[in-house]
Amino acid sequence: ADSVGWHHANVGKVKKGVVVNRPAELSSEVGYTVELKATFGNGERTGWSGVGDCLSVRLCDGMNAGVLNMSEGSICWGDKPLYCGDMSALSDSIRIAWHKGSSEHNVLPGYYVWVGDMLVGQGLPAESASEKGIFISSTANGGTVSSLSWTSGARAPQTERASAAEYSYSITC
């Protein structure tokens, strides 16, 4: 994440049953972006067994909320698969942005999710919420969040690799 306008917090290991709350002024009107790096599992059969064992990131702006669930084998929006692969080897950041939508620019309202610079979810639905902040929890052995950053405005990551349509793919978990 760029350093100008970004806020940063340390999280570290997230233990089962513990909710890590990072207060953040997230606004549905101007949008917001949250970026994190997480590691979990070990990529082997003895690692996490499925999407039920996950690290969850819940973003709440006082009106809207969304939950990204990450396991050793997938990233899901709630229970909807967005990306499947060996997450224990993931070195890319995960970016989540809220955009209120713009018919003029053909942008759907909702959440957008990137793995590195690859868009894996767009216009993802929100649920109602009255709380504000970034809430991180774990349902199993926990995971480690090595970096967490957030800023105002919905920001896509800078493209550094081949992100053209011929390099994108769809996969079913």
Side-chain angles (χ1 to χ4, degrees):
D2 306 335
S3 59
V4 178
W6 287 84
H7 305 276
H8 306 279
N10 292 325
V11 176
K13 181 80 172 167
V14 181
K15 297 179 181 173
K16 180 179 179 179
V18 175
V19 177
V20 178
N21 177 9
R22 293 295 177 249
E25 283 300 316
L26 306 177
S27 167
S28 61
E29 188 58 33
V30 298
Y32 50 89
T33 303
V34 174
E35 187 169 280
L36 64 115
K37 282 194 173 198
T39 56
F40 32 80
N42 61 13
E44 302 294 332
R45 287 187 179 268
T46 57
W48 289 14
S49 60
V51 76
D53 298 338
C54 66
L55 187 66
S56 296
V57 179
R58 179 175 164 86
L59 306 178
C60 304
D61 61 31
M63 293 180 60
N64 303 293
V67 179
L68 189 73
N69 293 313
M70 300 171 286
S71 72
E72 185 180 30
S74 66
I75 296 176
C76 297
W77 188 252
D79 60 359
K80 177 185 178 183
L82 300 177
Y83 178 85
C84 296
D86 182 359
M87 299 297 294
S88 62
L90 184 69
S91 61
D92 291 321
S93 292
I94 296 169
R95 185 175 284 211
I96 311 163
W98 164 262
H99 197 289
K100 67 179 181 177
S102 168
S103 57
E104 178 183 341
H105 295 104
N106 199 25
V107 177
L108 297 170
Y111 287 95
Y112 289 73
V113 177
W114 290 266
V115 175
D117 65 355
M118 181 175 61
L119 180 65
V120 296
Q122 63 182 357
L124 298 168
E127 56 189 46
S128 296
S130 59
E131 66 267 28
K132 281 191 170 193
I134 302 166
F135 303 89
I136 302 172
S137 61
S138 176
T139 61
N141 299 325
T144 301
V145 177
S146 58
S147 69
L148 175 67
S149 305
W150 64 94
T151 190
S152 294
R155 301 180 188 199
Q158 290 184 338
T159 301
E160 297 175 8
R161 290 179 266 170
S163 294
E166 64 263 26
Y167 297 106
S168 63
Y169 58 91
S170 175
I171 207 163
T172 303
C173 299

